[in-house]
Amino acid sequence: MQVLKDEIRNKILQAAEALFFETGFRDTTMRNIADVAGISVSNLYLYYDNKHALYYGVTDSFHDYFIRGFQAFVDHDEESKEMIGDICDTWYKVIRADHKKFVITADKSQGTKYAGFKGQMIDILYRHMKSQVGRQYGCDELILYILAKNFIEGIVEIAKEYHGDDSWLANCLNSLVSYHMNGMAHLL
């Protein structure tokens, strides 16, 4: 009986994360992952039955953690004078800690159960914006959807371009969030 080693499993997950980030789920092969991990393809299959299982090994815990946190964040009721700072800080922490997993799940997941992840984020934000602005202000729901989509697309692009420069990240997030929140203030 083959004994599976945590060290090998971690090398596989690191190689898969790097390749999924670089080329996406569809264009990454098990052979590519094995080569980067420095193991044989047959050894890789001892750890993961297929590419989907490996993809979910990289993304599942992040996805579940993120969606719960994101939903809780947008569902808060209190109005904060520091709203822009709070939003920037939340996204800063997510991107700084897990930008590769975030990008993989949001933008490189075609062909997986997370192919709709970005749409899920957009929908959560759209519903929140709709509850805050609503029809009483005469704002068309399409405009709210476009604003939510543009914001999430902007966050994903920032995460894709983040290369460890924390000052750059903070500045980009502050610019995007300020632009978004000031535009939303116009609707209120």
Side-chain angles (χ1 to χ4, degrees):
M1 179 171 147
Q2 176 81 24
V3 176
L4 302 180
K5 298 178 182 161
D6 287 339
E7 180 183 329
I8 303 275
R9 184 179 306 280
N10 289 337
K11 284 174 71 173
I12 293 168
L13 289 171
Q14 289 172 355
E17 182 178 305
L19 287 167
F20 291 143
F21 179 75
E22 184 179 318
T23 62
F25 174 79
R26 286 207 174 162
D27 294 332
T28 300
T29 67
M30 292 295 270
R31 177 166 299 288
N32 298 140
I33 295 166
D35 289 346
V36 171
I39 62 171
S40 68
V41 175
S42 61
N43 198 15
L44 176 59
Y45 280 105
L46 292 173
Y47 289 84
Y48 293 94
D49 292 338
N50 55 51
K51 188 169 69 166
H52 279 90
L54 183 47
Y55 179 85
Y56 300 134
V58 170
T59 59
D60 272 353
S61 62
F62 171 79
H63 175 270
D64 295 345
Y65 160 80
F66 179 84
I67 288 297
R68 278 192 312 275
F70 185 60
Q71 184 69 57
F73 180 75
V74 298
D75 284 348
H76 70 282
D77 286 330
E78 68 183 62
E79 284 295 317
S80 169
K81 293 179 183 176
E82 300 297 323
M83 185 69 72
I84 290 174
D86 292 347
I87 294 169
C88 288
D89 188 51
T90 298
W91 281 109
Y92 177 86
K93 288 175 183 174
V94 167
I95 293 171
R96 190 165 183 270
D98 290 308
H99 83 282
K100 286 184 179 180
K101 285 182 177 76
F102 177 72
V103 170
I104 291 165
T105 312
D107 199 54
K108 310 273 187 166
S109 58
Q110 295 79 11
T112 75
K113 69 182 179 184
Y114 296 138
F117 177 69
K118 189 175 1 180
Q120 190 177 8
M121 288 188 295
I122 292 166
D123 187 58
I124 290 168
L125 183 57
Y126 162 72
R127 284 186 278 117
H128 171 70
M129 291 166 58
K130 186 176 168 185
S131 75
Q132 298 299 306
V133 175
R135 291 182 185 264
Q136 67 269 29
Y137 296 102
C139 188
D140 189 281
E141 290 181 13
L142 176 62
I143 298 302
L144 293 177
Y145 178 80
I146 290 168
L147 293 172
K149 183 176 181 181
N150 287 343
F151 181 76
I152 296 300
E153 291 282 356
I155 293 292
V156 171
E157 289 302 316
I158 290 169
K160 285 166 61 174
E161 295 300 321
Y162 174 65
H163 299 291
D165 183 343
D166 294 341
S167 177
W168 176 89
L169 177 60
N171 288 334
C172 286
L173 289 171
N174 188 56
S175 293
L176 179 66
V177 172
S178 294
Y179 176 81
H180 176 76
M181 293 303 290
N182 288 327
M184 288 301 299
H186 170 72
L187 297 175
L188 299 171

